[in-house]
Coordinates of all heavy atoms in Angstrom, one line a residue:
H1 N -61.0 -93.6 48.9 CA -60.0 -94.6 49.2 C -60.1 -95.6 48.0 O -60.9 -95.6 47.2 CB -60.6 -95.3 50.4 CG -61.9 -96.0 50.5 ND1 -63.0 -95.3 50.6 CD2 -62.3 -97.3 50.2 CE1 -64.0 -96.2 50.4 NE2 -63.6 -97.4 50.3
S2 N -59.0 -96.5 47.9 CA -58.9 -97.4 46.9 C -59.0 -98.8 47.4 O -58.6 -99.2 48.4 CB -57.5 -97.2 46.1 OG -56.5 -97.5 46.9
V3 N -59.6 -99.7 46.6 CA -59.7 -101.2 46.9 C -59.5 -102.0 45.8 O -59.4 -101.7 44.7 CB -61.1 -101.3 47.5 CG1 -61.4 -100.7 48.8 CG2 -62.2 -101.1 46.4
G4 N -59.3 -103.4 46.1 CA -59.2 -104.4 45.0 C -57.9 -104.3 44.2 O -57.9 -104.5 43.1
H5 N -56.8 -103.9 44.8 CA -55.5 -103.8 44.1 C -55.0 -105.1 43.6 O -55.0 -106.1 44.2 CB -54.6 -103.2 45.1 CG -55.0 -102.0 45.6 ND1 -55.6 -102.0 47.0 CD2 -54.8 -100.6 45.4 CE1 -55.9 -100.8 47.3 NE2 -55.4 -99.9 46.4
I6 N -54.8 -105.2 42.2 CA -54.2 -106.3 41.5 C -53.1 -105.8 40.7 O -53.1 -104.9 40.0 CB -55.3 -107.1 40.8 CG1 -56.0 -106.2 39.7 CG2 -56.3 -107.7 41.6 CD1 -57.0 -106.9 38.8
W7 N -51.9 -106.5 40.9 CA -50.7 -106.3 40.1 C -50.8 -106.9 38.7 O -51.3 -108.1 38.6 CB -49.5 -106.9 40.8 CG -49.1 -106.0 42.0 CD1 -49.6 -106.1 43.3 CD2 -48.1 -105.1 42.0 NE1 -48.9 -105.2 44.1 CE2 -48.0 -104.5 43.4 CE3 -47.2 -104.5 41.1 CZ2 -47.1 -103.6 43.7 CZ3 -46.3 -103.5 41.4 CH2 -46.3 -103.0 42.7
S8 N -50.2 -106.2 37.7 CA -50.2 -106.8 36.4 C -49.2 -107.9 36.4 O -48.3 -107.9 37.2 CB -49.8 -105.8 35.3 OG -48.6 -105.2 35.6
P9 N -49.2 -108.8 35.5 CA -48.3 -110.0 35.4 C -46.8 -109.5 35.4 O -46.0 -110.2 35.9 CB -48.7 -110.8 34.1 CG -50.1 -110.5 33.9 CD -50.3 -109.0 34.4
D10 N -46.5 -108.4 34.7 CA -45.2 -108.0 34.7 C -44.8 -107.1 35.8 O -43.6 -106.6 35.9 CB -44.9 -107.3 33.2 CG -45.7 -106.0 33.0 OD1 -46.5 -105.6 34.0 OD2 -45.6 -105.5 32.0
G11 N -45.7 -106.8 36.8 CA -45.3 -106.0 37.8 C -45.2 -104.5 37.5 O -45.0 -103.7 38.4
A12 N -45.7 -104.1 36.3 CA -45.4 -102.6 35.8 C -46.7 -101.8 36.1 O -46.6 -100.6 36.3 CB -45.1 -102.6 34.4
R13 N -47.9 -102.4 36.4 CA -49.0 -101.8 36.7 C -49.9 -102.3 37.9 O -49.9 -103.6 38.0 CB -49.9 -101.6 35.4 CG -49.2 -100.9 34.3 CD -49.9 -101.1 33.0 NE -49.8 -102.5 32.6 CZ -50.5 -103.1 31.6 NH1 -51.4 -102.4 30.9 NH2 -50.2 -104.4 31.2
I14 N -50.7 -101.5 38.4 CA -51.7 -101.9 39.5 C -53.0 -101.4 39.1 O -53.2 -100.1 38.9 CB -51.3 -101.5 40.9 CG1 -49.7 -101.8 41.3 CG2 -52.3 -101.8 42.0 CD1 -49.3 -101.1 42.5
A15 N -54.0 -102.2 39.0 CA -55.3 -101.8 38.7 C -56.1 -101.8 40.1 O -55.7 -102.5 41.0 CB -56.0 -102.9 37.9
Y16 N -56.9 -100.8 40.2 CA -57.7 -100.6 41.4 C -59.0 -99.9 41.3 O -59.2 -99.2 40.3 CB -56.9 -100.0 42.6 CG -56.4 -98.6 42.1 CD1 -57.2 -97.6 42.6 CD2 -55.3 -98.4 41.4 CE1 -56.7 -96.2 42.2 CE2 -54.9 -97.1 41.0 CZ -55.6 -96.0 41.5 OH -55.3 -94.8 41.1
L17 N -59.9 -100.1 42.2 CA -61.2 -99.3 42.2 C -61.1 -98.1 43.1 O -60.5 -98.3 44.3 CB -62.4 -100.3 42.7 CG -62.6 -101.4 41.7 CD1 -63.3 -102.6 42.6 CD2 -63.4 -100.9 40.6
L18 N -61.4 -96.9 42.7 CA -61.4 -95.8 43.5 C -62.8 -95.4 44.0 O -63.8 -95.6 43.2 CB -60.8 -94.6 42.8 CG -60.5 -93.3 43.5 CD1 -59.5 -93.6 44.6 CD2 -60.0 -92.2 42.7
R19 N -62.9 -95.3 45.3 CA -64.2 -95.1 45.9 C -64.2 -93.8 46.8 O -63.2 -93.5 47.5 CB -64.7 -96.3 46.7 CG -64.8 -97.5 45.8 CD -65.5 -98.5 46.5 NE -65.7 -99.5 45.5 CZ -65.8 -100.9 45.8 NH1 -65.6 -101.3 47.1 NH2 -66.0 -101.8 44.9
S20 N -65.3 -93.1 46.9 CA -65.5 -91.9 47.9 C -65.8 -92.5 49.2 O -66.1 -93.8 49.3 CB -66.5 -91.0 47.3 OG -67.8 -91.7 47.5
G21 N -65.8 -91.7 50.2 CA -66.0 -92.1 51.6 C -64.7 -92.6 52.3 O -63.8 -92.8 51.7
A22 N -64.9 -92.7 53.5 CA -63.9 -93.0 54.5 C -63.3 -94.5 54.3 O -62.2 -94.7 54.3 CB -64.2 -92.7 55.9
D23 N -64.3 -95.3 54.2 CA -64.0 -96.6 53.9 C -65.2 -97.4 53.4 O -66.1 -96.9 53.2 CB -63.5 -97.4 55.3 CG -64.4 -97.2 56.4 OD1 -65.7 -97.4 56.1 OD2 -64.0 -97.1 57.6
A24 N -65.1 -98.8 53.3 CA -66.2 -99.7 52.7 C -67.4 -99.6 53.4 O -68.5 -99.7 52.9 CB -65.6 -101.0 52.4
S25 N -67.4 -99.4 54.7 CA -68.5 -99.3 55.6 C -69.5 -98.0 55.5 O -70.4 -97.9 56.1 CB -68.2 -99.7 57.0 OG -67.4 -98.6 57.5
D26 N -68.8 -97.1 54.8 CA -69.4 -95.7 54.8 C -70.7 -95.8 53.8 O -70.5 -96.2 52.7 CB -68.5 -94.7 54.2 CG -69.0 -93.2 54.0 OD1 -70.3 -93.2 54.1 OD2 -68.2 -92.4 54.0
P27 N -71.9 -95.6 54.4 CA -73.1 -95.7 53.5 C -73.1 -94.6 52.4 O -73.9 -94.9 51.3 CB -74.2 -95.6 54.5 CG -73.7 -94.9 55.7 CD -72.3 -95.2 55.7
E28 N -72.5 -93.7 52.4 CA -72.4 -92.7 51.3 C -71.3 -93.0 50.3 O -71.4 -92.1 49.3 CB -72.2 -91.3 52.0 CG -73.1 -90.8 53.0 CD -74.5 -90.6 52.3 OE1 -74.5 -90.0 51.3 OE2 -75.4 -90.9 53.0
S29 N -70.7 -94.1 50.5 CA -69.6 -94.4 49.5 C -70.0 -94.6 48.1 O -71.1 -95.3 48.0 CB -68.9 -95.7 50.0 OG -67.8 -95.9 49.2
Q30 N -69.4 -94.2 47.1 CA -69.6 -94.4 45.6 C -68.5 -94.7 44.9 O -67.3 -94.5 45.4 CB -70.3 -93.1 45.1 CG -71.6 -92.7 45.7 CD -72.1 -91.4 44.9 OE1 -71.3 -90.6 44.4 NE2 -73.4 -91.2 44.9
G31 N -68.7 -95.5 43.9 CA -67.5 -95.9 43.0 C -67.1 -94.7 42.2 O -67.9 -94.0 41.7
L32 N -65.8 -94.5 42.1 CA -65.2 -93.6 41.2 C -64.5 -94.0 40.0 O -63.7 -93.2 39.5 CB -64.4 -92.5 42.0 CG -65.0 -91.9 43.3 CD1 -64.0 -91.1 44.1 CD2 -66.1 -91.0 42.7
G33 N -64.7 -95.3 39.7 CA -64.0 -95.8 38.4 C -62.9 -96.8 38.8 O -62.5 -97.1 39.9
V34 N -62.5 -97.4 37.7 CA -61.4 -98.3 37.7 C -60.2 -97.6 37.1 O -60.2 -97.0 36.1 CB -61.6 -99.6 36.8 CG1 -60.5 -100.6 36.7 CG2 -62.9 -100.4 37.2
W35 N -59.1 -97.7 37.9 CA -57.9 -96.9 37.6 C -56.7 -97.9 37.5 O -56.7 -99.0 38.1 CB -57.6 -95.9 38.6 CG -58.6 -94.8 38.8 CD1 -59.9 -95.0 39.2 CD2 -58.4 -93.5 38.4 NE1 -60.5 -93.6 39.2 CE2 -59.7 -92.7 38.6 CE3 -57.5 -92.8 37.8 CZ2 -59.8 -91.5 38.4 CZ3 -57.6 -91.4 37.5 CH2 -58.8 -90.8 37.8
V36 N -55.8 -97.4 36.7 CA -54.5 -98.2 36.5 C -53.3 -97.2 36.9 O -53.1 -96.1 36.4 CB -54.3 -98.9 35.2 CG1 -52.9 -99.4 35.0 CG2 -55.4 -99.9 34.9
L37 N -52.4 -97.6 37.7 CA -51.3 -97.0 38.1 C -50.0 -97.7 37.5 O -49.8 -98.8 37.5 CB -51.0 -97.2 39.6 CG -49.7 -96.6 40.2 CD1 -49.4 -95.1 40.0 CD2 -49.4 -96.9 41.6
D38 N -49.2 -96.8 36.7 CA -48.0 -97.3 36.2 C -47.0 -97.1 37.3 O -46.6 -96.1 37.6 CB -47.6 -96.4 35.0 CG -46.4 -96.8 34.2 OD1 -45.3 -97.0 34.9 OD2 -46.4 -97.1 33.0
T39 N -46.4 -98.3 37.8 CA -45.5 -98.2 38.9 C -44.2 -97.5 38.6 O -43.3 -97.2 39.4 CB -45.2 -99.6 39.5 OG1 -44.6 -100.4 38.5 CG2 -46.5 -100.3 40.0
R40 N -43.8 -97.5 37.3 CA -42.5 -97.0 36.9 C -42.6 -95.5 36.8 O -41.7 -94.8 37.3 CB -42.1 -97.6 35.5 CG -41.7 -99.0 35.7 CD -41.3 -99.7 34.3 NE -41.1 -101.0 34.6 CZ -41.7 -102.0 33.8 NH1 -42.2 -101.6 32.7 NH2 -41.4 -103.3 34.0
S41 N -43.6 -95.0 36.3 CA -43.8 -93.5 36.1 C -44.6 -92.8 37.2 O -44.5 -91.7 37.4 CB -44.4 -93.1 34.7 OG -45.7 -93.5 34.7
G42 N -45.4 -93.5 37.9 CA -46.3 -93.0 38.8 C -47.6 -92.4 38.3 O -48.5 -92.0 39.0
E43 N -47.8 -92.4 36.9 CA -49.0 -91.9 36.3 C -50.1 -92.9 36.5 O -50.0 -94.1 36.5 CB -48.7 -91.9 34.8 CG -49.8 -91.2 34.0 CD -49.4 -91.1 32.5 OE1 -48.3 -90.9 32.3 OE2 -50.3 -91.1 31.6
T44 N -51.3 -92.2 36.8 CA -52.5 -93.0 36.9 C -53.6 -92.6 35.7 O -53.5 -91.5 35.2 CB -53.3 -92.6 38.1 OG1 -53.5 -91.3 38.4 CG2 -52.4 -93.2 39.4
V45 N -54.3 -93.6 35.3 CA -55.2 -93.4 34.2 C -56.6 -94.2 34.6 O -56.5 -95.2 35.0 CB -54.6 -94.1 32.8 CG1 -55.7 -93.9 31.8 CG2 -53.4 -93.4 32.5
K46 N -57.6 -93.4 34.5 CA -58.9 -93.9 34.6 C -59.3 -94.7 33.4 O -59.4 -94.2 32.3 CB -60.0 -92.8 34.9 CG -61.3 -93.4 35.3 CD -62.3 -92.2 35.5 CE -63.6 -92.6 36.1 NZ -64.5 -91.5 36.3
I47 N -59.6 -96.0 33.5 CA -59.9 -96.7 32.3 C -61.5 -97.1 32.2 O -61.8 -97.5 31.2 CB -59.0 -98.1 32.3 CG1 -59.4 -98.9 33.4 CG2 -57.6 -97.7 32.2 CD1 -58.8 -100.4 33.2
L48 N -62.1 -96.9 33.2 CA -63.5 -97.3 33.2 C -64.4 -96.6 34.2 O -63.9 -96.5 35.4 CB -63.7 -98.8 33.4 CG -65.1 -99.4 33.3 CD1 -65.6 -99.3 31.8 CD2 -65.1 -100.9 33.8
D49 N -65.5 -95.9 33.9 CA -66.3 -95.4 34.9 C -67.1 -96.5 35.5 O -67.6 -97.4 34.9 CB -67.5 -94.5 34.2 CG -66.7 -93.1 33.7 OD1 -66.0 -92.7 34.3 OD2 -67.2 -92.6 32.6
E50 N -67.2 -96.3 36.9 CA -67.8 -97.4 37.6 C -68.4 -96.8 38.9 O -67.6 -96.5 39.8 CB -66.9 -98.6 37.9 CG -67.7 -99.7 38.8 CD -68.8 -100.2 38.1 OE1 -68.9 -100.9 37.1 OE2 -69.9 -100.0 38.8
S51 N -69.7 -96.5 38.9 CA -70.3 -95.8 40.1 C -70.7 -96.8 41.2 O -71.1 -96.3 42.3 CB -71.3 -94.9 39.7 OG -72.4 -95.7 39.1
S52 N -70.8 -98.1 41.0 CA -71.2 -99.1 42.0 C -70.1 -99.4 42.9 O -69.0 -99.7 42.5 CB -71.8 -100.1 41.3 OG -72.1 -101.3 42.3
V53 N -70.5 -99.7 44.2 CA -69.5 -100.2 45.2 C -69.6 -101.7 45.2 O -68.9 -102.4 45.8 CB -69.7 -99.6 46.5 CG1 -69.3 -98.1 46.6 CG2 -71.1 -99.8 47.1
A54 N -70.5 -102.4 44.2 CA -70.6 -103.7 44.2 C -69.6 -104.4 43.2 O -69.6 -105.6 43.1 CB -72.1 -104.1 43.8
A55 N -68.8 -103.5 42.6 CA -67.8 -104.0 41.5 C -66.6 -104.6 42.3 O -66.2 -104.0 43.3 CB -67.5 -103.0 40.5
S56 N -65.9 -105.4 41.6 CA -64.6 -106.0 42.2 C -63.7 -106.4 41.1 O -64.2 -106.6 40.0 CB -64.8 -107.0 43.2 OG -65.4 -108.1 42.6
L57 N -62.4 -106.3 41.4 CA -61.5 -106.6 40.3 C -61.1 -108.1 40.7 O -60.7 -108.3 41.9 CB -60.3 -105.7 40.3 CG -60.7 -104.3 39.9 CD1 -59.4 -103.3 39.9 CD2 -61.4 -104.2 38.5
L58 N -60.8 -108.9 39.7 CA -60.4 -110.3 39.9 C -59.0 -110.6 39.6 O -58.3 -111.2 40.3 CB -61.4 -111.3 39.3 CG -62.7 -111.2 39.7 CD1 -63.7 -112.0 38.9 CD2 -63.0 -111.2 41.2
S59 N -58.6 -110.3 38.3 CA -57.3 -110.5 37.8 C -57.0 -109.9 36.5 O -57.9 -109.5 35.8 CB -57.1 -112.0 37.7 OG -58.0 -112.6 36.7
W60 N -55.7 -109.8 36.2 CA -55.3 -109.5 34.8 C -55.1 -110.6 33.9 O -55.0 -111.8 34.4 CB -53.9 -108.9 34.9 CG -53.7 -107.5 35.6 CD1 -53.6 -107.2 36.9 CD2 -53.6 -106.3 34.9 NE1 -53.5 -105.9 37.0 CE2 -53.4 -105.3 35.9 CE3 -53.6 -105.9 33.5 CZ2 -53.3 -104.0 35.5 CZ3 -53.4 -104.6 33.2 CH2 -53.2 -103.6 34.2
S61 N -55.2 -110.6 32.7 CA -55.0 -111.7 31.8 C -53.6 -112.0 31.8 O -52.7 -111.0 32.3 CB -55.4 -111.3 30.3 OG -54.6 -110.2 29.8
P62 N -53.1 -113.2 31.4 CA -51.8 -113.7 31.5 C -50.8 -112.5 30.7 O -49.7 -112.3 31.1 CB -51.7 -115.0 30.9 CG -53.0 -115.5 31.2 CD -54.0 -114.2 31.0
Q63 N -51.2 -112.0 29.7 CA -50.5 -111.1 28.8 C -50.5 -109.7 29.4 O -49.8 -108.8 28.9 CB -51.0 -111.1 27.4 CG -50.9 -112.4 26.7 CD -52.0 -113.3 27.0 OE1 -53.2 -113.0 27.6 NE2 -51.9 -114.6 26.8
G64 N -51.5 -109.4 30.3 CA -51.6 -108.0 30.9 C -52.3 -107.0 30.0 O -52.2 -105.9 30.2
D65 N -53.1 -107.6 29.1 CA -53.9 -106.7 28.2 C -55.3 -106.5 28.6 O -56.0 -105.5 28.2 CB -53.9 -107.4 26.8 CG -52.7 -107.5 26.1 OD1 -51.7 -106.7 26.3 OD2 -52.5 -108.4 25.3
D66 N -55.8 -107.3 29.5 CA -57.2 -107.3 30.0 C -57.2 -107.4 31.5 O -56.4 -108.1 32.0 CB -58.1 -108.5 29.4 CG -58.1 -108.5 28.0 OD1 -58.7 -107.5 27.4 OD2 -57.5 -109.3 27.2
I67 N -58.3 -106.9 32.0 CA -58.6 -106.9 33.5 C -60.0 -107.7 33.6 O -60.9 -107.1 33.0 CB -58.6 -105.6 34.2 CG1 -57.3 -104.9 34.1 CG2 -59.0 -105.8 35.7 CD1 -57.1 -103.5 34.4
L68 N -60.2 -108.7 34.4 CA -61.4 -109.4 34.6 C -61.9 -108.8 36.0 O -61.3 -108.7 37.0 CB -61.1 -110.8 34.7 CG -62.3 -111.8 35.1 CD1 -63.2 -111.6 33.7 CD2 -61.9 -113.1 35.2
G69 N -63.2 -108.4 35.8 CA -63.8 -108.0 37.2 C -65.2 -108.6 37.2 O -65.7 -109.3 36.4
A70 N -65.9 -108.4 38.4 CA -67.3 -108.8 38.7 C -68.1 -107.6 39.1 O -67.5 -106.7 39.7 CB -67.3 -109.9 39.7
H71 N -69.3 -107.6 38.5 CA -70.1 -106.4 38.8 C -71.6 -107.1 39.2 O -72.3 -107.6 38.2 CB -70.2 -105.5 37.8 CG -71.1 -104.2 38.1 ND1 -72.3 -104.2 37.5 CD2 -70.8 -103.2 38.8 CE1 -72.8 -103.0 37.9 NE2 -72.0 -102.5 38.6
R72 N -72.1 -107.1 40.4 CA -73.4 -107.4 40.7 C -73.6 -108.8 40.2 O -74.7 -109.1 39.5 CB -74.4 -106.5 40.3 CG -74.5 -105.2 40.9 CD -75.5 -104.3 40.4 NE -75.2 -103.0 40.7 CZ -75.7 -101.8 40.2 NH1 -76.5 -102.0 39.2 NH2 -75.4 -100.7 40.7
G73 N -72.7 -109.7 40.4 CA -72.8 -111.1 40.0 C -72.5 -111.5 38.5 O -72.5 -112.6 38.1
R74 N -72.2 -110.4 37.6 CA -71.9 -110.6 36.3 C -70.5 -110.3 36.1 O -69.8 -109.6 36.7 CB -72.6 -109.6 35.3 CG -74.2 -109.7 35.4 CD -74.6 -108.6 34.3 NE -73.9 -107.5 34.2 CZ -74.3 -106.2 34.3 NH1 -75.6 -106.0 34.6 NH2 -73.5 -105.1 34.1
R75 N -69.9 -111.2 35.1 CA -68.5 -111.0 34.8 C -68.3 -110.0 33.7 O -69.1 -109.9 32.8 CB -67.9 -112.4 34.4 CG -67.7 -113.3 35.5 CD -67.3 -114.7 35.0 NE -66.0 -114.5 34.5 CZ -65.2 -115.5 34.4 NH1 -65.4 -116.7 34.7 NH2 -63.9 -115.3 33.8
C76 N -67.3 -109.2 33.8 CA -67.0 -108.1 32.8 C -65.5 -108.1 32.6 O -64.8 -108.4 33.3 CB -67.6 -106.8 33.2 SG -67.1 -106.2 34.9
Q77 N -65.2 -107.6 31.4 CA -63.9 -107.5 30.9 C -63.6 -106.3 30.2 O -64.5 -105.7 29.5 CB -63.6 -108.7 30.1 CG -62.1 -108.9 29.8 CD -61.8 -110.2 29.2 OE1 -62.7 -110.8 28.6 NE2 -60.5 -110.7 28.9
R78 N -62.4 -105.8 30.5 CA -62.0 -104.3 29.8 C -60.6 -104.5 29.2 O -59.8 -104.9 29.8 CB -62.0 -103.2 30.9 CG -61.4 -102.0 30.5 CD -62.4 -101.2 29.6 NE -61.7 -100.0 29.2 CZ -62.3 -99.1 28.4 NH1 -63.5 -99.3 28.0 NH2 -61.8 -98.0 28.1
Q79 N -60.7 -104.2 27.9 CA -59.5 -104.4 27.2 C -58.6 -103.1 27.3 O -59.2 -102.0 27.3 CB -59.6 -104.5 25.7 CG -58.5 -104.6 24.8 CD -58.0 -105.8 24.2 OE1 -59.0 -106.7 24.2 NE2 -57.0 -106.0 23.8
L80 N -57.3 -103.2 27.7 CA -56.5 -102.0 27.8 C -55.9 -101.5 26.5 O -55.7 -102.2 25.6 CB -55.4 -102.1 28.8 CG -55.9 -102.5 30.2 CD1 -54.7 -102.8 31.0 CD2 -56.7 -101.3 30.7

């Protein structure tokens, strides 16, 4: 399942976290990474390995070049 969907400022991409398991309450759930969907082509790209279910996505940068996320209370950033 996917969680934490955030639209890029131009509306062309959606970033999300992919997780195993039926839903967030599944104790066997694991993170399967941060993914980006191109809404025009339908293509998806994994941009970051993330195995923790403690991660969350917060926002895109205003230019749409970076994604801000949080992981176990730490802030992290990934350049696209």
Side-chain angles (χ1 to χ4, degrees):
H1 66 279
S2 61
V3 296
H5 307 89
I6 54 173
W7 285 85
S8 63
D10 64 2
R13 296 170 290 168
I14 304 170
Y16 60 94
L17 295 158
L18 191 60
R19 297 190 174 148
S20 67
D23 58 38
S25 66
D26 184 345
E28 300 293 317
S29 186
Q30 292 183 332
L32 300 174
V34 178
W35 292 75
V36 173
L37 166 69
D38 183 310
T39 60
R40 294 178 184 134
S41 70
E43 184 177 330
T44 58
V45 177
K46 184 178 186 179
I47 61 165
L48 184 68
D49 286 325
E50 179 55 65
S51 60
S52 174
V53 293
S56 60
L57 300 180
L58 303 174
S59 68
W60 288 82
S61 66
Q63 299 80 18
D65 296 331
D66 299 294
I67 298 170
L68 181 67
H71 182 258
R72 296 183 189 158
R74 294 187 329 235
R75 291 175 64 155
C76 56
Q77 191 172 5
R78 171 72 180 183
Q79 177 112 19
L80 296 178

